[in-house]
Amino acid sequence: MGNERPAPWRRAAVVAALMLAAFTFNTTENLPVGLLSLMADDLRVSLTAVGALVTGYGLTVAAVSLPLAHVTRSVPRRYLLAGLLGLLAVGSWVSALGGVSYGVLLAARVATALAQAVFWSVMGPVAVGLFPPERRGRIIGLLSVGGSLATVAGVPAGTWLGGHTGWRTPFALLGVLALVSLVVIGALLPLSRPQDGHSAYGGAPDRRRFLVVLTVTVLSVTGAFAGFTYIVAFLDEVSGFREDAVSAVLLAFGGAALAGVTIAGPLLDRFPRATLTVPVAAQAAALLCLHVTGHVRAAAVVLVMLLGASVATVFMATQSQVLQVAPGRTETALAANSAAYNAGIAAGALFGGVLLPAVGLRGTVLVGGLLTLGALAVLTWPVRGDVQDRADGEGRTSGKGLAGEGKGRARMGQYGADSGL
């Protein structure tokens, strides 16, 4: 960050701590889904009320990401991340308190969502800024692995632990993990101004391309969750799986998501266009084929796994592209993409629910596939002077990567006043 390049072991430790923090935030967000009945019974509220702890969390992140990114833009990242992780730890421990009321739990969830909204906007620039510009995509890929592990391991493990020891125990453990990340980042992350370093600004700023990426995020995520929100019912009623088999298919979905980001992450820098276009096309194919062949169990399993690999990879690739084409400060651009993602989740669930009585379970995945085709059309529509063509060319030029250090510093001067969004 800035001109300071820490020792390799310090950089690796900070990235690992950020991966752990991403894992902790994602697990915290979705853990109530696995503990739904336990929490509802203990708190003496309905299942819908506990479900609102997840829905409200996502809507909070969508609503406050951009404003909070702007408010915190001048705070040194070491202090900001320490504060965010401290809020995550406290929120988790408050949730784990014996006798906590639903209202207090809801307040703790909102506070944690506020922290997560800022975390996703600054995590990428902080990690990327520790390394040369040509490794931006690879670092974003590593961070995405940490977030994807929450689906594969975090929520299932938390659900198992909650079932054996009570639903509060997993939240207490998540607070400990947040504290570990806080200590590592507080001790090892260099202290510098947020506007210093190549990661503070896009490698090749392009407002039009940035809007294309945001549109792709909204359409693809809305499409994915229009169908995936009701995937349990789909696998039961359309595919004919038993309850235990449905759980296994969902685990395969998470495993495929992890595999997708692990494979695509190292390719983001070399093939920026393909690593977004291919998963968007794969997501569309998975949803449309589920509509046609979802009644065949083997096909349903393969297609659900393809969907998992695609959804996770699309978001990772859009984050990487935003770092490249951000027209102003990258944390503001990333906050906009995070807001678009969470808004897409809410819109997809709402859209699917509204259409469900009219089109049925098969119809929700069909609508999701058509929305994703819309995202693919936006992404592949010819754009004169497309920045990705330039980025691909730069990536193939030996010794230059996405942007040379000198070019990055000159660009920072040009955009130092921040053009905003």
Side-chain angles (χ1 to χ4, degrees), residues 243-314:
E243 183 177 351
D244 55 342
V246 170
S247 299
V249 174
L250 293 180
L251 184 61
F253 172 91
L258 178 61
V261 297
T262 301
I263 293 171
L267 303 176
L268 290 171
D269 293 313
R270 294 180 59 193
F271 307 104
R273 183 188 295 276
T275 46
L276 180 54
T277 305
V278 170
V280 170
Q283 177 181 307
L287 289 166
L288 294 173
C289 289
L290 271 174
H291 171 71
V292 177
T293 63
H295 61 285
V296 180
R297 292 183 182 178
V301 172
V302 172
L303 293 171
V304 167
M305 292 178 66
L306 179 61
L307 181 63
S310 304
V311 172
T313 305
V314 167

Side-chain angles (χ1 to χ4, degrees), residues 107-252:
R109 295 279 297 176
V110 170
T112 306
L114 295 176
Q116 180 165 326
V118 182
F119 176 79
W120 286 120
S121 68
V122 302
M123 172 185 66
V126 165
V128 166
L130 296 170
F131 296 87
E134 61 270 18
R135 298 182 66 182
R136 286 187 173 197
R138 188 176 305 177
I139 301 305
I140 290 296
L142 286 174
L143 298 178
S144 297
V145 169
S148 297
L149 277 172
T151 303
V152 181
V155 175
T159 302
W160 179 88
L161 184 61
H164 287 78
T165 64
W167 67 266
R168 292 179 174 83
T169 305
F171 284 101
L173 181 58
L174 288 169
V176 174
L177 296 180
L179 183 61
V180 171
S181 296
L182 188 161
V183 170
V184 173
I185 290 172
L188 300 180
L189 181 65
L191 184 60
S192 61
R193 298 184 304 169
Q195 63 268 35
D196 290 341
H198 67 84
S199 65
Y201 300 93
D206 188 309
R207 185 179 297 274
R208 184 174 181 179
R209 186 67 185 180
F210 172 68
L211 293 175
V212 166
V213 174
L214 284 189
T215 304
V216 169
T217 297
V218 171
L219 288 176
S220 64
V221 175
T222 301
F225 282 87
F228 184 73
T229 301
Y230 305 97
I231 197 65
V232 171
F234 185 97
L235 292 172
D236 176 21
E237 298 180 24
V238 178
S239 304
F241 285 104
R242 298 188 308 272
E243 183 177 351
D244 55 342
V246 170
S247 299
V249 174
L250 293 180
L251 184 61

